Amino acid sequence: MAPHRFHEQFHHIQRSLPDVPLTMGPDDSAGYFYEKGVVLVRDGEESRFVEDAVRTHFTETQGLVPDHVRRLGPRAGRTGVTRIRVGDPAEGEDSVPHALRAVRAAEDRQGRRLAGRNHVVHIAGNVNACPGDEPVPVPRTETPNPAPAEGRYDPATAVGVLVIDTGLMHDHRSYPLLAHTTGDAQLTETDADGVLRQYVGHGTFIAGILAAVAPNTDITVRGTLNDAGAVLESEFGALLFDAVDRGGWPDIISLSAGTPSTDTDGLIGLDAFMAELREQRTLLVAAAGNNGSDIPFWPAAYAGLPEFADCVLSVGALRADGASGACFTNHGPWVRVHAPGERLTSALTGFTAPVPYVYQHSTYDACRFGAGAADYACTCRFPRHTGVLSEGRESTGAKPDQVMFDGLAQWSGTSFATPVAAGLVAARMTAYRERDPRAAGAGLLAADAERAEVRGAPVAALRPPTWRPVPAVITALPA
């Protein structure tokens, strides 16, 4: 784990959500972010029970204040959740752990969770709360990786894929593979100085991978995570509903966002969405996250629950040579398959005019997850660069590195292994004229999955025919 990187991103996301006091857990450790002083519950009778139970517990326990306990809303809505204030976020100690303990006995009796933290859901969330690394410029003359597969786009038979992520960059149509891609525009691409903001281009990069692996796809990108790639769990379910309502439930959803949680039954804020997903024919392909951990990462971890096993495909990342898991990838029995996710090449921005980017995080002298082989140059270490947020904490005197993007980028994370897997499902639907994406996903794993080793365990692996291993050479940052 990398606590410094986690704290750097915590402050970045807190600035993007200035009206929401955030904290981190569990117990101030580098695990996840959540709203301070608030618990999330199901609306109706459960919310009233939790509110009363917490107030009673706080009244009877020395040092806790019951005066702040009250429901904040929303009181009704499609997601069926509400927030309960359990403490003053301006006070030092967070009261959420005390509130969760107040209902634990009742949860044990009922055999279900009644309250939870209001997590921050973020792009391929990890110890960085961001992708496995930051993008690196690639010459426009270089071939994408995966390279474009054979086949053509046929609007009459194209597989519908919905990417829920950041929006499309203004020049995405300059990339031929994205000629048929539609969706939301990225709200703000650069800062006041014309420098690319962190996370922008994430959804465009994903769409480019999908289009390369599966040419016969209708790709729609929704900018659900435009604001620093983060949103509260209490809002995320409604945003997912909005994304599918705008165009109807697609064949496949590609989702490269989530949050770690030690809860074993999912996220309360996603209960309603996941229940409706189960009744549809859509396959949710979700990133397993980049913590380098076996702690469940939701919603990808729904793939490990029997009632969702057929409608959720969780995807971890293979390293650049494809030999084993990337150092950052989450792992465990809830991760159904791994696909190439380190140093992939796809579209970012800068096709019409080069755009500068300043790195936010510094690289490490050794693998920050403690999993990288000594002779393998993982993305924790290479290419070397100094970042603004890291330098702000460490004050080494080094100047943050700036690069220019003129179209393509190389990027790493389970965020990008996810569209590889989603694209392979879509390609199978086209090749075999299948109409059921869930059956196509199951057939793909049964017929085409190979094997790889992740943390000493053999796992299912998908490697597209047009993907090529990338030598892990130690290189300098492009000038």
Side-chain angles (χ1 to χ4, degrees), residues 361-383:
H361 305 289
S362 300
T363 43
Y364 288 72
D365 294 330
C367 177
R368 67 182 185 268
F369 300 100
D375 60 347
Y376 181 79
C378 67
T379 56
C380 301
R381 299 185 290 160
F382 301 101

Side-chain angles (χ1 to χ4, degrees), residues 8-19:
E8 290 166 11
Q9 282 304 113
F10 173 80
H11 294 300
H12 176 72
I13 289 178
Q14 179 65 90
R15 286 193 294 271
S16 75
L17 300 172
D19 299 325

